[in-house]
PDB file of all heavy atoms in Angstrom:
ATOM      1  N   LEU W 192       1.670  -3.392  -4.795  1.00 95.00           N
ATOM      2  CA  LEU W 192       0.555  -2.457  -4.843  1.00 95.00           C
ATOM      3  C   LEU W 192       0.113  -2.310  -3.525  1.00 95.00           C
ATOM      4  O   LEU W 192      -0.090  -3.342  -2.840  1.00 95.00           O
ATOM      5  CB  LEU W 192      -0.599  -2.889  -5.775  1.00 95.00           C
ATOM      6  CG  LEU W 192      -0.393  -2.777  -7.336  1.00 95.00           C
ATOM      7  CD1 LEU W 192      -1.649  -3.247  -7.957  1.00 95.00           C
ATOM      8  CD2 LEU W 192      -0.215  -1.243  -7.723  1.00 95.00           C
ATOM      9  N   GLU W 193      -0.548  -1.094  -3.217  1.00 95.00           N
ATOM     10  CA  GLU W 193      -1.195  -1.054  -1.751  1.00 95.00           C
ATOM     11  C   GLU W 193      -2.370  -1.883  -1.681  1.00 95.00           C
ATOM     12  O   GLU W 193      -3.011  -2.304  -2.731  1.00 95.00           O
ATOM     13  CB  GLU W 193      -1.489   0.387  -1.542  1.00 95.00           C
ATOM     14  CG  GLU W 193      -0.389   1.477  -1.789  1.00 95.00           C
ATOM     15  CD  GLU W 193      -0.180   1.875  -3.137  1.00 95.00           C
ATOM     16  OE1 GLU W 193      -0.858   1.210  -4.024  1.00 95.00           O
ATOM     17  OE2 GLU W 193       0.563   2.806  -3.412  1.00 95.00           O
ATOM     18  N   SER W 194      -2.805  -2.137  -0.500  1.00 97.00           N
ATOM     19  CA  SER W 194      -3.934  -2.964  -0.141  1.00 97.00           C
ATOM     20  C   SER W 194      -5.096  -2.447  -0.824  1.00 97.00           C
ATOM     21  O   SER W 194      -5.408  -1.184  -1.057  1.00 97.00           O
ATOM     22  CB  SER W 194      -4.034  -3.166   1.409  1.00 97.00           C
ATOM     23  OG  SER W 194      -4.383  -1.848   1.882  1.00 97.00           O
ATOM     24  N   THR W 195      -6.158  -3.342  -1.111  1.00 97.00           N
ATOM     25  CA  THR W 195      -7.514  -2.974  -1.355  1.00 97.00           C
ATOM     26  C   THR W 195      -8.126  -2.330  -0.096  1.00 97.00           C
ATOM     27  O   THR W 195      -8.023  -2.899   0.983  1.00 97.00           O
ATOM     28  CB  THR W 195      -8.244  -4.201  -1.740  1.00 97.00           C
ATOM     29  OG1 THR W 195      -7.631  -4.925  -2.734  1.00 97.00           O
ATOM     30  CG2 THR W 195      -9.693  -3.961  -2.119  1.00 97.00           C
ATOM     31  N   VAL W 196      -8.896  -1.206  -0.302  1.00 96.00           N
ATOM     32  CA  VAL W 196      -9.604  -0.652   0.883  1.00 96.00           C
ATOM     33  C   VAL W 196     -11.031  -0.763   0.652  1.00 96.00           C
ATOM     34  O   VAL W 196     -11.562  -0.331  -0.324  1.00 96.00           O
ATOM     35  CB  VAL W 196      -9.156   0.789   1.106  1.00 96.00           C
ATOM     36  CG1 VAL W 196      -9.973   1.458   2.360  1.00 96.00           C
ATOM     37  CG2 VAL W 196      -7.585   1.016   1.213  1.00 96.00           C
ATOM     38  N   VAL W 197     -11.808  -1.367   1.552  1.00 97.00           N
ATOM     39  CA  VAL W 197     -13.154  -1.610   1.490  1.00 97.00           C
ATOM     40  C   VAL W 197     -13.848  -0.834   2.778  1.00 97.00           C
ATOM     41  O   VAL W 197     -13.353  -1.190   3.936  1.00 97.00           O
ATOM     42  CB  VAL W 197     -13.605  -2.909   1.406  1.00 97.00           C
ATOM     43  CG1 VAL W 197     -15.060  -3.231   1.562  1.00 97.00           C
ATOM     44  CG2 VAL W 197     -13.023  -3.686   0.130  1.00 97.00           C
ATOM     45  N   ALA W 198     -14.833  -0.051   2.562  1.00 96.00           N
ATOM     46  CA  ALA W 198     -15.458   0.540   3.703  1.00 96.00           C
ATOM     47  C   ALA W 198     -16.667  -0.275   3.961  1.00 96.00           C
ATOM     48  O   ALA W 198     -17.530  -0.621   3.019  1.00 96.00           O
ATOM     49  CB  ALA W 198     -15.918   1.983   3.460  1.00 96.00           C
ATOM     50  N   LEU W 199     -16.938  -0.755   5.166  1.00 97.00           N
ATOM     51  CA  LEU W 199     -18.208  -1.396   5.642  1.00 97.00           C
ATOM     52  C   LEU W 199     -18.886  -0.611   6.435  1.00 97.00           C
ATOM     53  O   LEU W 199     -18.936  -0.894   7.852  1.00 97.00           O
ATOM     54  CB  LEU W 199     -17.734  -2.787   6.209  1.00 97.00           C
ATOM     55  CG  LEU W 199     -17.041  -3.794   5.212  1.00 97.00           C
ATOM     56  CD1 LEU W 199     -16.453  -4.863   6.111  1.00 97.00           C
ATOM     57  CD2 LEU W 199     -17.900  -4.198   4.138  1.00 97.00           C
ATOM     58  N   LEU W 200     -19.637   0.432   6.125  1.00 94.00           N
ATOM     59  CA  LEU W 200     -20.208   1.298   7.077  1.00 94.00           C
ATOM     60  C   LEU W 200     -21.806   1.103   6.806  1.00 94.00           C
ATOM     61  O   LEU W 200     -22.167   0.100   7.208  1.00 94.00           O
ATOM     62  CB  LEU W 200     -19.834   2.734   6.770  1.00 94.00           C
ATOM     63  CG  LEU W 200     -18.263   2.965   7.012  1.00 94.00           C
ATOM     64  CD1 LEU W 200     -17.772   4.208   6.545  1.00 94.00           C
ATOM     65  CD2 LEU W 200     -17.942   2.626   8.469  1.00 94.00           C
ATOM     66  N   ASP W 201     -22.488   1.838   6.123  1.00 90.00           N
ATOM     67  CA  ASP W 201     -23.790   1.523   5.671  1.00 90.00           C
ATOM     68  C   ASP W 201     -23.817   0.363   4.729  1.00 90.00           C
ATOM     69  O   ASP W 201     -23.999  -0.726   4.822  1.00 90.00           O
ATOM     70  CB  ASP W 201     -24.763   2.664   5.392  1.00 90.00           C
ATOM     71  CG  ASP W 201     -24.001   3.660   4.494  1.00 90.00           C
ATOM     72  OD1 ASP W 201     -22.831   3.531   4.301  1.00 90.00           O
ATOM     73  OD2 ASP W 201     -24.637   4.666   4.079  1.00 90.00           O
ATOM     74  N   GLN W 202     -23.295   0.951   3.459  1.00 94.00           N
ATOM     75  CA  GLN W 202     -23.152  -0.077   2.315  1.00 94.00           C
ATOM     76  C   GLN W 202     -21.681  -0.461   2.318  1.00 94.00           C
ATOM     77  O   GLN W 202     -20.775   0.163   2.910  1.00 94.00           O
ATOM     78  CB  GLN W 202     -23.611   0.568   1.094  1.00 94.00           C
ATOM     79  CG  GLN W 202     -25.039   0.798   0.975  1.00 94.00           C
ATOM     80  CD  GLN W 202     -25.509   1.667  -0.215  1.00 94.00           C
ATOM     81  OE1 GLN W 202     -24.968   2.748  -0.260  1.00 94.00           O
ATOM     82  NE2 GLN W 202     -26.311   1.190  -0.991  1.00 94.00           N
ATOM     83  N   ALA W 203     -21.345  -1.574   1.587  1.00 96.00           N
ATOM     84  CA  ALA W 203     -20.028  -1.945   1.380  1.00 96.00           C
ATOM     85  C   ALA W 203     -19.526  -1.268   0.122  1.00 96.00           C
ATOM     86  O   ALA W 203     -20.093  -1.372  -0.868  1.00 96.00           O
ATOM     87  CB  ALA W 203     -19.962  -3.464   1.285  1.00 96.00           C
ATOM     88  N   ARG W 204     -18.462  -0.497   0.236  1.00 95.00           N
ATOM     89  CA  ARG W 204     -17.785   0.200  -0.827  1.00 95.00           C
ATOM     90  C   ARG W 204     -16.377  -0.094  -1.142  1.00 95.00           C
ATOM     91  O   ARG W 204     -15.610  -0.140  -0.131  1.00 95.00           O
ATOM     92  CB  ARG W 204     -17.999   1.740  -0.687  1.00 95.00           C
ATOM     93  CG  ARG W 204     -19.393   2.160  -0.855  1.00 95.00           C
ATOM     94  CD  ARG W 204     -19.343   3.735  -0.928  1.00 95.00           C
ATOM     95  NE  ARG W 204     -20.725   4.280  -1.172  1.00 95.00           N
ATOM     96  CZ  ARG W 204     -21.505   4.618  -0.248  1.00 95.00           C
ATOM     97  NH1 ARG W 204     -21.128   4.532   1.094  1.00 95.00           N
ATOM     98  NH2 ARG W 204     -22.706   5.067  -0.539  1.00 95.00           N
ATOM     99  N   LEU W 205     -15.944  -0.194  -2.386  1.00 95.00           N
ATOM    100  CA  LEU W 205     -14.639  -0.221  -2.707  1.00 95.00           C
ATOM    101  C   LEU W 205     -14.087   1.134  -2.673  1.00 95.00           C
ATOM    102  O   LEU W 205     -14.366   1.833  -3.540  1.00 95.00           O
ATOM    103  CB  LEU W 205     -14.522  -0.950  -4.058  1.00 95.00           C
ATOM    104  CG  LEU W 205     -13.049  -1.168  -4.551  1.00 95.00           C
ATOM    105  CD1 LEU W 205     -12.341  -2.296  -3.613  1.00 95.00           C
ATOM    106  CD2 LEU W 205     -13.062  -1.846  -6.003  1.00 95.00           C
ATOM    107  N   LEU W 206     -13.157   1.571  -1.802  1.00 93.00           N
ATOM    108  CA  LEU W 206     -12.564   2.854  -1.751  1.00 93.00           C
ATOM    109  C   LEU W 206     -11.230   2.820  -2.410  1.00 93.00           C
ATOM    110  O   LEU W 206     -10.835   3.893  -3.022  1.00 93.00           O
ATOM    111  CB  LEU W 206     -12.245   3.311  -0.359  1.00 93.00           C
ATOM    112  CG  LEU W 206     -13.486   3.517   0.565  1.00 93.00           C
ATOM    113  CD1 LEU W 206     -13.119   3.950   1.937  1.00 93.00           C
ATOM    114  CD2 LEU W 206     -14.529   4.362   0.004  1.00 93.00           C
ATOM    115  N   ARG W 207     -10.554   1.830  -2.521  1.00 93.00           N
ATOM    116  CA  ARG W 207      -9.373   1.754  -3.328  1.00 93.00           C
ATOM    117  C   ARG W 207      -9.178   0.195  -3.888  1.00 93.00           C
ATOM    118  O   ARG W 207      -9.053  -0.635  -3.106  1.00 93.00           O
ATOM    119  CB  ARG W 207      -8.007   2.090  -2.462  1.00 93.00           C
ATOM    120  CG  ARG W 207      -6.685   2.083  -3.088  1.00 93.00           C
ATOM    121  CD  ARG W 207      -5.632   2.663  -2.325  1.00 93.00           C
ATOM    122  NE  ARG W 207      -5.252   1.618  -1.288  1.00 93.00           N
ATOM    123  CZ  ARG W 207      -4.217   2.015  -0.497  1.00 93.00           C
ATOM    124  NH1 ARG W 207      -3.623   3.032  -0.337  1.00 93.00           N
ATOM    125  NH2 ARG W 207      -3.820   1.102   0.584  1.00 93.00           N
ATOM    126  N   PRO W 208      -9.064   0.147  -5.182  1.00 94.00           N
ATOM    127  CA  PRO W 208      -8.785  -1.183  -5.704  1.00 94.00           C
ATOM    128  C   PRO W 208      -7.392  -1.600  -5.402  1.00 94.00           C
ATOM    129  O   PRO W 208      -6.509  -0.818  -5.222  1.00 94.00           O
ATOM    130  CB  PRO W 208      -9.038  -1.044  -7.190  1.00 94.00           C
ATOM    131  CG  PRO W 208      -9.068   0.359  -7.571  1.00 94.00           C
ATOM    132  CD  PRO W 208      -9.228   1.205  -6.241  1.00 94.00           C
ATOM    133  N   GLY W 209      -7.223  -2.973  -5.214  1.00 94.00           N
ATOM    134  CA  GLY W 209      -5.898  -3.434  -4.871  1.00 94.00           C
ATOM    135  C   GLY W 209      -5.771  -4.944  -5.118  1.00 94.00           C
ATOM    136  O   GLY W 209      -6.481  -5.437  -6.099  1.00 94.00           O
ATOM    137  N   ALA W 210      -4.768  -5.542  -4.522  1.00 93.00           N
ATOM    138  CA  ALA W 210      -4.459  -6.921  -4.739  1.00 93.00           C
ATOM    139  C   ALA W 210      -5.548  -8.001  -4.555  1.00 93.00           C
ATOM    140  O   ALA W 210      -5.700  -9.024  -5.226  1.00 93.00           O
ATOM    141  CB  ALA W 210      -3.263  -7.381  -3.934  1.00 93.00           C
ATOM    142  N   VAL W 211      -6.338  -7.643  -3.524  1.00 97.00           N
ATOM    143  CA  VAL W 211      -7.648  -8.396  -3.492  1.00 97.00           C
ATOM    144  C   VAL W 211      -8.640  -7.865  -4.424  1.00 97.00           C
ATOM    145  O   VAL W 211      -8.991  -6.631  -4.239  1.00 97.00           O
ATOM    146  CB  VAL W 211      -8.211  -8.464  -1.900  1.00 97.00           C
ATOM    147  CG1 VAL W 211      -9.537  -9.245  -1.966  1.00 97.00           C
ATOM    148  CG2 VAL W 211      -7.099  -9.131  -1.038  1.00 97.00           C
ATOM    149  N   THR W 212      -9.121  -8.478  -5.264  1.00 96.00           N
ATOM    150  CA  THR W 212      -9.913  -7.876  -6.409  1.00 96.00           C
ATOM    151  C   THR W 212     -11.292  -7.793  -6.041  1.00 96.00           C
ATOM    152  O   THR W 212     -11.837  -8.415  -5.156  1.00 96.00           O
ATOM    153  CB  THR W 212      -9.853  -8.691  -7.715  1.00 96.00           C
ATOM    154  OG1 THR W 212     -10.541 -10.027  -7.511  1.00 96.00           O
ATOM    155  CG2 THR W 212      -8.430  -8.951  -8.198  1.00 96.00           C
ATOM    156  N   ARG W 213     -12.001  -6.812  -6.731  1.00 95.00           N
ATOM    157  CA  ARG W 213     -13.560  -6.589  -6.484  1.00 95.00           C
ATOM    158  C   ARG W 213     -14.238  -7.938  -6.673  1.00 95.00           C
ATOM    159  O   ARG W 213     -15.052  -8.243  -5.922  1.00 95.00           O
ATOM    160  CB  ARG W 213     -13.973  -5.683  -7.650  1.00 95.00           C
ATOM    161  CG  ARG W 213     -15.435  -5.445  -7.734  1.00 95.00           C
ATOM    162  CD  ARG W 213     -15.805  -4.730  -9.031  1.00 95.00           C
ATOM    163  NE  ARG W 213     -15.174  -3.355  -9.154  1.00 95.00           N
ATOM    164  CZ  ARG W 213     -15.841  -2.219  -8.573  1.00 95.00           C
ATOM    165  NH1 ARG W 213     -16.938  -2.333  -8.060  1.00 95.00           N
ATOM    166  NH2 ARG W 213     -15.174  -1.143  -8.683  1.00 95.00           N
ATOM    167  N   GLU W 214     -13.896  -8.692  -7.588  1.00 96.00           N
ATOM    168  CA  GLU W 214     -14.607 -10.077  -7.794  1.00 96.00           C
ATOM    169  C   GLU W 214     -14.374 -10.844  -6.504  1.00 96.00           C
ATOM    170  O   GLU W 214     -15.276 -11.678  -6.129  1.00 96.00           O
ATOM    171  CB  GLU W 214     -14.028 -10.728  -8.978  1.00 96.00           C
ATOM    172  CG  GLU W 214     -14.263 -10.102 -10.368  1.00 96.00           C
ATOM    173  CD  GLU W 214     -13.301  -8.905 -10.789  1.00 96.00           C
ATOM    174  OE1 GLU W 214     -12.563  -8.474  -9.876  1.00 96.00           O
ATOM    175  OE2 GLU W 214     -13.263  -8.596 -11.967  1.00 96.00           O
ATOM    176  N   GLN W 215     -13.216 -11.044  -6.085  1.00 97.00           N
ATOM    177  CA  GLN W 215     -12.927 -11.816  -4.763  1.00 97.00           C
ATOM    178  C   GLN W 215     -13.630 -11.414  -3.563  1.00 97.00           C
ATOM    179  O   GLN W 215     -14.222 -12.061  -2.901  1.00 97.00           O
ATOM    180  CB  GLN W 215     -11.436 -11.828  -4.407  1.00 97.00           C
ATOM    181  CG  GLN W 215     -10.659 -12.577  -5.385  1.00 97.00           C
ATOM    182  CD  GLN W 215      -9.119 -12.389  -5.044  1.00 97.00           C
ATOM    183  OE1 GLN W 215      -8.516 -11.269  -5.074  1.00 97.00           O
ATOM    184  NE2 GLN W 215      -8.378 -13.516  -4.854  1.00 97.00           N
ATOM    185  N   ILE W 216     -13.902 -10.073  -3.543  1.00 98.00           N
ATOM    186  CA  ILE W 216     -14.673  -9.528  -2.392  1.00 98.00           C
ATOM    187  C   ILE W 216     -16.073  -9.785  -2.439  1.00 98.00           C
ATOM    188  O   ILE W 216     -16.746 -10.221  -1.629  1.00 98.00           O
ATOM    189  CB  ILE W 216     -14.398  -7.956  -2.165  1.00 98.00           C
ATOM    190  CG1 ILE W 216     -12.969  -7.771  -1.762  1.00 98.00           C
ATOM    191  CG2 ILE W 216     -15.413  -7.313  -1.120  1.00 98.00           C
ATOM    192  CD1 ILE W 216     -12.469  -6.362  -2.047  1.00 98.00           C
ATOM    193  N   GLU W 217     -16.707  -9.593  -3.714  1.00 97.00           N
ATOM    194  CA  GLU W 217     -18.026  -9.877  -4.013  1.00 97.00           C
ATOM    195  C   GLU W 217     -18.438 -11.280  -3.778  1.00 97.00           C
ATOM    196  O   GLU W 217     -19.520 -11.571  -3.533  1.00 97.00           O
ATOM    197  CB  GLU W 217     -18.437  -9.234  -5.435  1.00 97.00           C
ATOM    198  CG  GLU W 217     -18.368  -7.763  -5.392  1.00 97.00           C
ATOM    199  CD  GLU W 217     -18.877  -7.178  -6.643  1.00 97.00           C
ATOM    200  OE1 GLU W 217     -18.775  -7.769  -7.701  1.00 97.00           O
ATOM    201  OE2 GLU W 217     -19.311  -5.959  -6.586  1.00 97.00           O
ATOM    202  N   ALA W 218     -17.394 -12.284  -3.986  1.00 98.00           N
ATOM    203  CA  ALA W 218     -17.615 -13.479  -3.835  1.00 98.00           C
ATOM    204  C   ALA W 218     -17.982 -13.921  -2.365  1.00 98.00           C
ATOM    205  O   ALA W 218     -18.604 -14.955  -1.999  1.00 98.00           O
ATOM    206  CB  ALA W 218     -16.538 -14.427  -4.333  1.00 98.00           C
ATOM    207  N   VAL W 219     -17.512 -13.020  -1.529  1.00 98.00           N
ATOM    208  CA  VAL W 219     -17.528 -13.348  -0.056  1.00 98.00           C
ATOM    209  C   VAL W 219     -18.822 -12.612   0.525  1.00 98.00           C
ATOM    210  O   VAL W 219     -19.691 -13.150   1.341  1.00 98.00           O
ATOM    211  CB  VAL W 219     -16.363 -12.885   0.687  1.00 98.00           C
ATOM    212  CG1 VAL W 219     -16.543 -13.037   2.184  1.00 98.00           C
ATOM    213  CG2 VAL W 219     -15.197 -13.754   0.224  1.00 98.00           C
ATOM    214  N   ILE W 220     -18.993 -11.350   0.125  1.00 98.00           N
ATOM    215  CA  ILE W 220     -20.188 -10.483   0.987  1.00 98.00           C
ATOM    216  C   ILE W 220     -21.179  -9.962  -0.142  1.00 98.00           C
ATOM    217  O   ILE W 220     -21.993  -9.222   0.210  1.00 98.00           O
ATOM    218  CB  ILE W 220     -19.565  -9.374   1.638  1.00 98.00           C
ATOM    219  CG1 ILE W 220     -18.720  -8.339   0.553  1.00 98.00           C
ATOM    220  CG2 ILE W 220     -18.677  -9.738   2.835  1.00 98.00           C
ATOM    221  CD1 ILE W 220     -18.408  -6.990   1.355  1.00 98.00           C
ATOM    222  N   GLY W 221     -21.102 -10.446  -1.420  1.00 97.00           N
ATOM    223  CA  GLY W 221     -22.045  -9.936  -2.452  1.00 97.00           C
ATOM    224  C   GLY W 221     -21.677  -8.684  -3.063  1.00 97.00           C
ATOM    225  O   GLY W 221     -20.629  -8.149  -2.726  1.00 97.00           O
ATOM    226  N   PRO W 222     -22.635  -8.048  -3.834  1.00 96.00           N
ATOM    227  CA  PRO W 222     -22.158  -6.853  -4.639  1.00 96.00           C
ATOM    228  C   PRO W 222     -21.854  -5.610  -3.896  1.00 96.00           C
ATOM    229  O   PRO W 222     -22.404  -5.315  -2.848  1.00 96.00           O
ATOM    230  CB  PRO W 222     -23.512  -6.545  -5.418  1.00 96.00           C
ATOM    231  CG  PRO W 222     -24.396  -7.700  -5.290  1.00 96.00           C
ATOM    232  CD  PRO W 222     -24.034  -8.505  -4.048  1.00 96.00           C
ATOM    233  N   LEU W 223     -20.766  -5.025  -4.188  1.00 95.00           N
ATOM    234  CA  LEU W 223     -20.201  -3.722  -3.618  1.00 95.00           C
ATOM    235  C   LEU W 223     -21.202  -2.711  -4.195  1.00 95.00           C
ATOM    236  O   LEU W 223     -21.637  -2.700  -5.336  1.00 95.00           O
ATOM    237  CB  LEU W 223     -18.858  -3.524  -4.035  1.00 95.00           C
ATOM    238  CG  LEU W 223     -17.874  -4.384  -3.254  1.00 95.00           C
ATOM    239  CD1 LEU W 223     -16.523  -4.468  -4.030  1.00 95.00           C
ATOM    240  CD2 LEU W 223     -17.535  -4.022  -1.850  1.00 95.00           C
ATOM    241  N   SER W 224     -21.408  -1.676  -3.346  1.00 91.00           N
ATOM    242  CA  SER W 224     -22.194  -0.586  -3.815  1.00 91.00           C
ATOM    243  C   SER W 224     -21.485   0.249  -4.849  1.00 91.00           C
ATOM    244  O   SER W 224     -20.258   0.543  -4.683  1.00 91.00           O
ATOM    245  CB  SER W 224     -22.565   0.399  -2.587  1.00 91.00           C
ATOM    246  OG  SER W 224     -23.114   1.704  -3.150  1.00 91.00           O
ATOM    247  N   GLU W 225     -22.125   0.749  -5.932  1.00 80.00           N
ATOM    248  CA  GLU W 225     -21.545   1.460  -7.016  1.00 80.00           C
ATOM    249  C   GLU W 225     -21.672   2.942  -6.768  1.00 80.00           C
ATOM    250  O   GLU W 225     -20.961   3.812  -7.345  1.00 80.00           O
ATOM    251  CB  GLU W 225     -22.318   1.236  -8.385  1.00 80.00           C
ATOM    252  CG  GLU W 225     -21.907  -0.143  -8.813  1.00 80.00           C
ATOM    253  CD  GLU W 225     -20.436  -0.410  -9.305  1.00 80.00           C
ATOM    254  OE1 GLU W 225     -19.721   0.610  -9.564  1.00 80.00           O
ATOM    255  OE2 GLU W 225     -19.993  -1.519  -9.177  1.00 80.00           O
TER     256      GLU W 225
END
Side-chain angles (χ1 to χ4, degrees):
L192 278 184
E193 306 84 351
S194 62
T195 305
V196 181
V197 172
L199 298 173
L200 300 170
D201 41 358
Q202 287 165 312
R204 286 197 175 88
L205 184 64
L206 298 186
R207 180 173 75 182
V211 177
T212 64
R213 176 189 294 275
E214 294 85 345
Q215 288 175 303
I216 292 162
E217 291 187 332
V219 176
I220 59 165
L223 290 159
S224 167
E225 290 294 331

